[in-house]
Amino acid sequence: KITNSENSIKNVFKEKLGEFTSLDINKINISEFNTRCQFLDHLHVKTLMASIEKRGYIPKSAVWVNAVTDNGTKEGNIIQYRLVAGRHRYEACRRIELNEIPSQLYYNLTDEEECELDTIDNELDEHHKPINFLEVAEHYKYLKDIKGWSIRQIARAKNVSKSDVARKLNITELSNEVKQILKSVPPGGQ
């Protein structure tokens, strides 16, 4: 059964939505536009590993993958698979040495669309591990400093205000000692 949220996601990227399939886990690269590309909660990965080993991998929890083709169309030859959403699920499967992982394919997403789908996945999954705001801030800094994105571009891709992006970028300038204290604050904490 498709929920309204899932249906609206599929409508947003309807022209890029591909098939549901199982992919060789070793052929998938982590997208640098995934908020968790640099941060993993290893305890959460272990919890997912235990669940998958006990119950198997539930296809409903498929990871979202950008299938990049050589000619920019669905009919082109796939040259790269980029994990857009499901970083912890992917890592759990990799660590328990599953050969394949259920994957919802999207074709030739832009970098901004990868960011948007990552954000949607983080908001919709009721079993999702909340992201610490410092990790989000560091990801915004990565997008700004390494990828050369503007505050406006980050805000649009992550569906947040420009002032929210600017505040989080300011947080990244704090000392490492202060960042360690901030990391101890649970997600959603003040």
Side-chain angles (χ1 to χ4, degrees):
K1 181 180 175 187
I2 296 177
T3 66
N4 286 338
S5 297
E6 290 169 334
N7 196 31
S8 65
I9 294 166
K10 291 180 180 179
N11 286 335
V12 170
F13 297 103
K14 187 176 185 177
E15 70 284 355
K16 295 187 176 193
L17 181 67
E19 63 274 11
F20 179 85
T21 188
S22 284
L23 289 177
D24 179 337
I25 201 162
N26 296 312
K27 291 185 178 180
I28 302 172
N29 299 309
I30 309 301
S31 169
E32 63 189 322
F33 302 103
N34 181 299
T35 305
R36 298 183 197 269
C37 68
Q38 300 162 310
F39 308 101
L40 273 179
D41 180 330
H42 296 285
L43 184 59
H44 186 60
V45 170
K46 286 182 181 181
T47 300
L48 289 172
M49 288 169 60
S51 175
I52 293 167
E53 287 176 322
K54 181 178 179 182
R55 296 182 182 96
Y57 195 96
I58 300 169
K60 179 184 180 241
S61 299
V63 296
W64 296 351
V65 176
N66 184 12
V68 181
T69 63
D70 58 359
N71 67 0
T73 71
K74 288 183 182 180
E75 293 74 34
N77 296 313
I78 297 172
I79 56 174
Q80 184 182 35
Y81 292 108
R82 292 177 16 180
L83 181 73
V84 175
R87 177 74 166 102
H88 283 114
R89 289 169 272 165
Y90 166 87
E91 187 63 24
C93 290
R94 191 188 67 71
R95 288 185 188 180
I96 59 176
E97 299 180 353
L98 288 183
N99 294 326
E100 294 187 341
I101 187 168
S103 304
Q104 175 61 62
L105 294 186
Y106 290 86
Y107 283 89
N108 301 303
L109 295 169
T110 65
D111 299 342
E112 289 86 356
E113 288 169 337
E114 285 189 12
C115 276
E116 188 175 346
L117 272 179
D118 171 52
T119 300
I120 290 169
D121 179 63
N122 290 337
E123 292 171 354
L124 288 181
D125 186 357
E126 67 273 10
H127 303 295
H128 196 268
K129 172 77 175 152
I131 299 175
N132 183 289
F133 70 94
L134 186 57
E135 292 174 0
V136 173
E138 293 291 347
H139 187 63
Y140 290 179
K141 181 174 176 53
Y142 172 83
L143 293 174
K144 182 178 175 291
D145 293 352
I146 305 301
K147 300 309 293 179
W149 285 20
S150 68
I151 289 175
R152 176 178 288 186
Q153 191 175 11
I154 296 167
R156 188 175 50 238
K158 293 296 187 176
N159 197 29
V160 297
S161 70
K162 291 183 289 185
S163 62
D164 186 46
V165 173
R167 275 193 302 276
K168 285 193 172 65
L169 288 172
N170 285 335
I171 289 170
T172 65
E173 301 304 321
L174 297 171
S175 71
N176 285 333
E177 294 81 23
V178 173
K179 286 180 184 179
Q180 284 304 110
I181 293 168
L182 292 175
K183 284 182 182 179
S184 68
V185 176
Q190 298 298 321

